[in-house]
Amino acid sequence: EVQLEESGGGLVQPGGSLRLSCAVSGFTVDEYAIGWFRQAPGKEREGLSCISNRHGETRYGTSVKGRFTTTTDNARNTVYLQMNDLKPEDTAVYYCAKASMCSVAIMSAPFLYDKWGQGTQVTVSS
């Protein structure tokens, strides 16, 4: 069974860091791309990044480029989202999702992802 499970969310002060994990099962992170999204109350789901080891692609959205980094650990079959210099506007539920590949267009299109995790809450507040 294909599953994705996010963890690592929590409360952090502005300027702080968090690392989210996306543990996958039923497939490997070498076979498929993994994207990170977030959704704040009353807002649309926003694509943050995607990574594909198979095609050697990593993409970031403009709102997080330079602050967030996504990496994979093949041995753990896990994808990470390292988030630095967090701001209050980063507060949202964060999701990881599976896609066939990673590109600028795919990164921003939730409908192109066929399996999602349940999400993890990130709150940035003093």
Side-chain angles (χ1 to χ4, degrees):
E1 181 183 2
V2 172
Q3 290 185 324
L4 299 92
E5 183 173 4
E6 304 92 340
S7 61
L11 174 64
V12 63
Q13 292 187 342
S17 298
L18 278 176
R19 189 179 76 161
L20 305 184
S21 299
C22 174
V24 312
S25 58
F27 67 101
T28 70
V29 297
D30 264 352
E31 297 175 275
Y32 293 93
I34 297 294
W36 285 97
F37 290 78
R38 68 185 178 191
Q39 189 163 21
K43 295 190 176 182
E44 292 187 353
R45 194 162 292 194
E46 177 189 8
L48 305 176
S49 72
C50 65
I51 185 166
S52 170
N53 285 342
R54 183 176 182 180
H55 299 103
E57 293 279 355
T58 308
R59 302 288 180 179
Y60 296 96
T62 54
S63 64
V64 302
K65 195 169 186 178
R67 298 190 298 128
F68 291 11
T69 303
T70 186
T71 57
T72 61
D73 184 333
N74 293 347
R76 289 183 167 83
N77 215 22
T78 298
V79 178
Y80 301 101
L81 184 68
Q82 177 68 43
M83 307 186 295
N84 298 327
D85 190 24
L86 284 162
K87 308 174 189 300
E89 51 264 40
D90 294 317
T91 295
V93 178
Y94 284 68
Y95 301 89
C96 61
K98 169 182 160 286
S100 59
M101 58 191 301
C102 168
S103 68
V104 172
I106 291 174
M107 184 198 69
S108 304
F111 66 91
L112 292 176
Y113 292 75
D114 60 4
K115 194 71 176 180
W116 293 77
Q118 82 289 348
T120 186
Q121 176 71 46
V122 172
T123 302
V124 184
S125 175
S126 55

